[in-house]
Amino acid sequence: RVAEVDGIGEDPEVKALVTDPVAAALETLNTTILATQEVDLDAIKANIRTDETNAANLVTDAFLWQATQLAPSFGEPVPDIVLMNGGGIRNDNIYAAGEFTLGESFDILPFGNTLVVMTVSRDKLKELLEHGLNQLPAANGRFPHIAGGVMTIDRSAAVGSRVVEVDLASAGTVISGGAVVPGPDIALTTLNFTANGGDGYPFDGTPFTQLG
């Protein structure tokens, strides 16, 4: 039996070893302040899976910062670009300006994914970005969010030709007028989920280094 009309009392050992520690950990998550927001953060799922939002920008900027700190210690180059699938951002709400907690960061990114870094050709980068855009205008978890530069897209263009411009701070213009600009390969950071083909991303076995 799990329950009856008058209920069943807690097992004191389970309470002490499981229930109380979990409740205490959750309390710590929800009361530890990471930052103070000056603006609302848009983490509405329908928006993140179709467009740029400031919450997704914050996530990818954090990935870029962390990968920049870690990559050299693994013998890898500092990333030129971060590619994040919108489906990895799991909450569905607006975070009002004010205190932002550690618990809320877990709400945004609850999965046990890790950052990876790899080197890809410019043609491959375009292929990856086009893949992320190929379900528009429908909302889809593969929608790509980036850090390290600016991407301009044409939503009305045919599938496979929606990326118009990609300008990276460290690598310059990579795509211009929809065409790949010849140049050196690109150091890319993403999650191990997408690197292993999650959301259908065509990394096709590109070798990568897991950062930690």
Side-chain angles (χ1 to χ4, degrees), residues 1-211:
R1 297 179 302 174
V2 175
E4 56 186 36
V5 174
D6 296 324
I8 294 176
E10 285 186 289
D11 181 286
E13 186 175 12
V14 172
K15 182 177 187 301
L17 295 178
V18 179
T19 308
D20 290 347
V22 169
L26 291 174
E27 178 69 13
T28 298
L29 287 178
N30 294 326
T31 56
T32 300
I33 307 302
L34 288 186
T36 301
Q37 300 166 217
E38 294 182 352
V39 298
D40 295 349
L41 290 177
D42 181 359
I44 297 294
K45 183 181 295 185
N47 297 340
I48 282 177
R49 295 186 174 197
T50 57
D51 210 341
E52 179 182 14
T53 80
N54 59 355
N57 284 342
L58 182 60
V59 169
T60 54
D61 283 348
F63 286 1
L64 180 62
W65 180 88
Q66 185 66 84
T68 296
Q69 305 304 306
L70 293 175
S73 66
F74 286 84
E76 296 292 343
V78 169
D80 299 304
I81 187 171
V82 168
L83 170 59
M84 165 70 179
N85 62 313
I89 300 173
R90 300 303 296 181
N91 55 312
D92 189 15
N93 61 290
I94 299 288
Y95 288 106
E99 293 180 339
F100 183 81
T101 68
L102 183 59
E104 288 170 326
S105 76
F106 276 87
D107 291 338
I108 291 176
L109 298 171
F111 297 130
N113 295 319
T114 55
L115 293 175
V116 306
V117 64
M118 65 180 71
T119 300
V120 298
S121 70
R122 293 174 174 224
D123 288 324
K124 173 58 76 173
L125 177 62
K126 185 175 190 300
E127 180 187 3
L128 294 167
L129 295 173
E130 293 286 3
H131 172 81
L133 299 168
N134 68 14
Q135 297 296 306
L136 290 174
N140 192 275
R142 69 183 56 176
F143 184 85
H145 296 278
I146 72 164
V150 177
M151 175 172 65
T152 304
I153 67 173
D154 181 354
R155 295 171 179 273
S156 64
V159 170
S161 58
R162 291 175 170 172
V163 179
V164 177
E165 191 96 6
V166 173
D167 297 300
L168 302 180
S170 58
T173 300
V174 178
I175 299 170
S176 179
V180 173
V181 176
D185 290 346
I186 300 298
L188 180 146
T189 283
T190 189
L191 296 174
N192 60 336
F193 171 77
T194 42
N196 285 314
D199 276 335
Y201 267 93
F203 282 97
D204 302 328
T206 302
F208 59 81
T209 297
Q210 192 157 290
L211 301 179

